[in-house]
Amino acid sequence: MTKQRLDITGQKYGRLTVIKEVKSNSRHRKWLCRCECGNTVFPFMYSLRNGSTQSCGCLRKEKSRKANVVDLTGKRFGKLTVLKPTNRRDKSRNIIWLCKCDCGNERYIVSKNLTSGETKSCGCLMKESGKKLKAYNQKHHFKDGVYIPGLKSKIRSDNSTGVKGVYPVQKRVVLMWV
């Protein structure tokens, strides 16, 4: 008594519909299947029946695409609030988001820079830090307009005057055409 071969023609496995059996060079049976997206594939019968093949590859691409997109809309990063994604991408295919800073400026920022903490404002944060640093230096490092740490250090190798803390000031030349 011979074992009857299973016919899976017309059955559906995931997004694949089995059309017919095709000849195979191996001992495993292959089937012609049409995917819901319109592509055709030739999977082995065992991969259809155990669920390891469910589409032509479009399902994997869809899942991957959805997994790679994290919606940042409405989230805050430093002084920035994310308004919406744009259709633009950087060289690494990261989404570029439209963000609004607390100071009112709007900027386009790459998602990687937001999530890593590299970008926290439109640039106003750095300006504020610079002003604080300048005020600190004026209070603690300058006396009568002289930078004290510069007088305590060695003479720099690029110093052309030979005197600590003294350097020539280049004059601006203004040309006027009459």
Side-chain angles (χ1 to χ4, degrees):
M1 186 161 151
T2 59
K3 197 174 188 182
Q4 196 170 20
R5 293 173 63 93
L6 180 63
D7 185 17
I8 60 171
T9 304
Q11 291 187 21
K12 199 163 170 74
Y13 294 92
R15 293 183 175 188
L16 297 175
T17 304
V18 180
I19 298 172
K20 66 177 182 176
E21 187 173 1
V22 294
K23 289 204 180 235
S24 175
N25 293 339
S26 71
R27 61 185 182 103
H28 300 286
R29 297 170 68 190
K30 258 189 175 177
W31 295 82
L32 169 65
C33 299
R34 181 170 310 283
C35 186
E36 290 176 357
C37 70
N39 291 331
T40 56
V41 288
F42 300 92
F44 290 109
M45 183 175 182
Y46 67 85
S47 66
L48 286 170
R49 296 195 67 211
N50 72 15
S52 62
T53 302
Q54 296 182 4
S55 73
C56 64
C58 62
L59 182 61
R60 181 175 35 90
K61 287 178 187 173
E62 262 181 43
K63 286 181 179 178
S64 173
R65 206 174 291 129
K66 286 179 183 175
N68 290 336
V69 177
V70 177
D71 189 14
L72 302 177
T73 307
K75 293 189 177 172
R76 286 189 57 84
F77 299 92
K79 291 185 159 204
L80 295 170
T81 303
V82 180
L83 299 178
K84 65 180 181 178
T86 65
N87 292 328
R88 297 170 32 199
R89 302 281 189 271
D90 69 350
K91 290 178 185 176
S92 301
R93 306 292 301 146
N94 292 306
I95 297 174
I96 297 176
W97 297 82
L98 177 63
C99 302
K100 187 166 187 161
C101 189
D102 290 348
C103 69
N105 291 330
E106 289 186 357
R107 294 284 186 266
Y108 292 99
I109 314 286
V110 177
S111 58
K112 178 184 69 170
N113 293 352
L114 289 168
T115 56
S116 70
E118 189 175 327
T119 305
K120 296 177 182 175
S121 74
C122 66
C124 63
L125 197 58
M126 191 172 287
K127 289 177 189 173
E128 289 174 15
S129 298
K131 289 177 184 176
K132 288 178 184 176
L133 180 62
K134 186 176 180 182
Y136 176 83
N137 280 337
Q138 290 292 338
K139 185 176 180 183
H140 298 286
H141 295 296
F142 283 88
K143 186 163 185 141
D144 297 328
V146 176
Y147 185 62
I148 305 300
L151 295 175
K152 294 179 180 178
S153 63
K154 290 183 179 180
I155 295 177
R156 291 176 41 144
S157 62
D158 62 346
N159 187 323
S160 60
T161 63
V163 180
K164 286 183 190 179
V166 177
Y167 58 93
V169 177
Q170 293 179 344
K171 292 184 179 179
R172 284 182 145 171
V173 176
V174 178
L175 298 174
M176 295 182 67
W177 299 94
V178 182

